[in-house]
Amino acid sequence: HPADQEAFRETMVANTRQPGSFTHDYRMLHRDGQPVWVRAIHSVDPAEEGGLVLRGLLLDVTEEKLSEERIVYLADHDPLTGLFNRRRFQEELERQVAYARGYRHQGALIVLGLDQFKYINDTLGHRTGDHYLHSVASALTGSLSEVDVAGRLGGDEFGIIRPKADMDQVQAIVADLQERLTDPQLTGGVAPTPVTASAGIVFFPEEGEAADDLLAKADVALHTAKEEGASRTHLFRGGDEALGRMQAKIHWEDRIRRALREDRFVLHFQPIFRLADGAVSHYEVLLRMIGDDGELIGPGAFLDTAEGFGLIRDIDHWVVTHAVHVQGRSRREGRPVRLAINLSGRHIGRREVLEWVTGALEESGADPEALLFEITETAAVENIAQAREFIESLRSRGCGVALDDFGVGLSSFHYLKNLPVDMIKIDGSFVRTLDRDAYDRTFVRAMSELAANLGITSVAEFVENEAIAQILRELGVDLGQGFYLARPGPDFLDGGGVDVGGGTVPEGPGDGP
């Protein structure tokens, strides 16, 4: 390849002056004109007649190089839409805020949320939903200027940064986008009613200079817009109603800090059953906060705030440490249990998490083979290389790894071959309607068969009735979890079991792996 010729010559000259071996990757041109990546593995040996002789072989590593390029791309981009992912978008926002502050002008952050996306997923299926999100991304990029930055923040929310803007410009951008998104062709013409979008707007640096703070304010503005109806827009201003919501989040931040400080968290456990024979396979560890009046508060009330205020690290540390110690205690008492522990996507790849696990194992005497760490698919695919290394590190310590929310992405099957996990948890959106949706049954069957062929255990979440449980058995899904099978309960080591519809499911050596 012309672009590699100079580097090729330099490498050959530098490595053929004396005996030795070397490896070199470069591109060659196929006779059809397409580049082919090769890996040259060479040895330089003394010749019988004097001088040196070069030997070696060439390996076609084109697929490997393309995979590496894809991994690098996915580190910054959302795999479904091709837009910046949340992490990269936040980096760009920080850069634009610094630029606006330095040059003393005003920029705008817009968070766009689709109003009826759940309706599309629930009635038309996830394939149509994925297609629509991809079309929304194309509409965004097609309507923005070259200086604007667009990203997918998660789910059905998109972010737009206009580096230099006034209110009239921002309103024109939002109005244009809202009009484009009502085009029925975005859903392939199958949606009976147009899909609309609402927007939250915040100006910087006027309303803040920290990217986290600005995103939180824009998100509050978006929720205010949605409360006013479909296709609405709300501008965040200090002192308006949105500020009250922000203050409520700050109140929750204080409650979380106090709960951590005063040890006001407890673990609950939900059994996960083998569908074939009804035996308990393991328990998922679930978190509850103890309120001021002793009431139990579910994680849905505080985890988003913990994420937004950077407290999720401390919560994850608490959960990992206490859950591992619970397993160690069960082992010492002669009735060992297997536990699944959730990890925030924010901590994938962080060495400190591995240090938590190692330290807790050493302190508690827990069996690492009885611990399964759950990470979400969406977090794993943001950086496949990093996620793979993290998973392998956990497995090298003897622990298992499960991929949660499996199937929500269009490319789930492709990513699975690159992630050495022990288990997949099929997203509940595919399971809830199994008894009345043929498409979901087809999709679950495909996921179950793929997992089985790869030697991976499959779990179905949200098993809500016997009809769904029976269909899952017929589709070959290994394990089931849901309120129909068993609700979460308090520490079974103290109570002798987990409450299951008036009875208990004991855990012991004879009940499951």
Side-chain angles (χ1 to χ4, degrees), residues 375 391 395 400-403 416 418-424 454-457:
I375 61 176
I391 291 169
R395 297 186 75 195
V401 178
L403 201 59
L416 190 58
N418 294 309
L419 294 171
V421 297
D422 304 279
M423 182 180 293
I424 60 168
L454 294 175
I456 297 172
T457 302

Side-chain angles (χ1 to χ4, degrees), residues 269-348:
F269 306 86
Q270 185 173 24
I272 297 175
F273 296 90
R274 293 202 303 252
L275 291 171
D277 59 12
V280 173
S281 165
H282 61 282
Y283 293 84
E284 180 174 3
V285 177
L286 302 172
L287 183 66
R288 301 289 185 265
M289 180 192 289
I290 302 174
D292 293 336
D293 297 326
E295 75 279 13
L296 292 178
I297 302 169
F302 58 83
L303 280 191
D304 283 348
T305 302
E307 288 271 6
F309 285 90
L311 295 171
I312 196 66
R313 174 196 175 279
D314 294 327
I315 290 178
D316 267 10
H317 185 205
W318 191 96
V319 171
V320 168
T321 302
H322 282 74
V324 173
H325 277 264
V326 166
Q327 202 291 320
R329 181 155 61 98
S330 75
R331 189 183 186 189
R332 290 193 303 275
E333 294 179 359
R335 40 180 181 163
V337 293
R338 189 176 181 215
L339 301 177
I341 305 167
N342 290 280
L343 287 177
S344 167
R346 194 175 282 196
H347 294 138
I348 293 176

Side-chain angles (χ1 to χ4, degrees), residues 183-466:
D183 184 350
Q185 294 305 311
L186 290 181
T187 56
V190 296
T193 57
V195 178
T196 59
S198 296
I201 303 168
V202 61
F203 284 100
F204 58 81
E206 175 186 351
E207 295 294 347
E209 297 184 359
D212 279 344
D213 185 34
L214 290 168
L215 283 166
K217 290 177 177 177
D219 191 54
V220 168
L222 172 63
H223 281 83
T224 302
K226 284 179 173 286
E227 288 173 0
E228 295 171 355
S231 197
R232 300 298 181 93
T233 301
H234 187 84
L235 172 66
F236 182 94
R237 291 288 191 192
D240 67 8
E241 292 181 5
L243 188 59
R245 293 188 178 88
M246 178 62 70
Q247 290 171 338
K249 288 189 175 184
I250 294 173
H251 170 68
W252 271 107
E253 178 199 12
D254 179 66
R255 292 187 70 177
I256 295 168
R257 291 188 187 279
R258 188 154 49 89
L260 286 165
R261 188 170 58 249
E262 299 174 2
D263 201 25
R264 298 173 69 90
F265 285 114
V266 293
L267 298 179
H268 277 209
F269 306 86
Q270 185 173 24
I272 297 175
F273 296 90
R274 293 202 303 252
L275 291 171
D277 59 12
V280 173
S281 165
H282 61 282
Y283 293 84
E284 180 174 3
V285 177
L286 302 172
L287 183 66
R288 301 289 185 265
M289 180 192 289
I290 302 174
D292 293 336
D293 297 326
E295 75 279 13
L296 292 178
I297 302 169
F302 58 83
L303 280 191
D304 283 348
T305 302
E307 288 271 6
F309 285 90
L311 295 171
I312 196 66
R313 174 196 175 279
D314 294 327
I315 290 178
D316 267 10
H317 185 205
W318 191 96
V319 171
V320 168
T321 302
H322 282 74
V324 173
H325 277 264
V326 166
Q327 202 291 320
R329 181 155 61 98
S330 75
R331 189 183 186 189
R332 290 193 303 275
E333 294 179 359
R335 40 180 181 163
V337 293
R338 189 176 181 215
L339 301 177
I341 305 167
N342 290 280
L343 287 177
S344 167
R346 194 175 282 196
H347 294 138
I348 293 176
R350 293 197 175 182
R351 182 153 299 278
E352 65 176 345
V353 178
L354 301 174
E355 293 172 354
W356 299 344
V357 174
T358 301
L361 286 171
E362 292 174 351
E363 293 170 2
S364 67
D367 178 8
E369 294 184 0
L371 298 172
L372 184 76
F373 289 92
E374 295 186 9
I375 61 176
T376 63
E377 174 194 327
T378 49
V381 300
E382 279 196 2
N383 191 329
I384 292 258
Q386 186 181 67
R388 182 183 181 87
E389 181 181 355
F390 184 69
I391 291 169
E392 289 175 342
S393 296
L394 283 171
R395 297 186 75 195
S396 70
R397 288 161 170 78
C399 304
V401 178
L403 201 59
D404 201 4
D405 300 338
F406 186 77
V408 295
L410 191 63
S411 303
S412 297
F413 287 21
H414 169 73
Y415 293 127
L416 190 58
K417 70 177 184 179
N418 294 309
L419 294 171
V421 297
D422 304 279
M423 182 180 293
I424 60 168
K425 298 191 72 174
I426 300 170
D427 189 71
S429 59
F430 297 104
V431 179
R432 286 191 184 98
T433 57
L434 274 181
D435 53 347
R436 55 186 186 276
D437 191 319
Y439 167 74
D440 282 344
R441 288 196 292 274
T442 300
F443 209 97
V444 171
R445 182 189 298 277
M447 288 188 274
S448 172
E449 291 177 352
L450 174 67
N453 290 334
L454 294 175
I456 297 172
T457 302
S458 57
V459 186
E461 302 178 294
F462 293 95
V463 181
E464 296 177 350
N465 57 54
E466 176 56 33

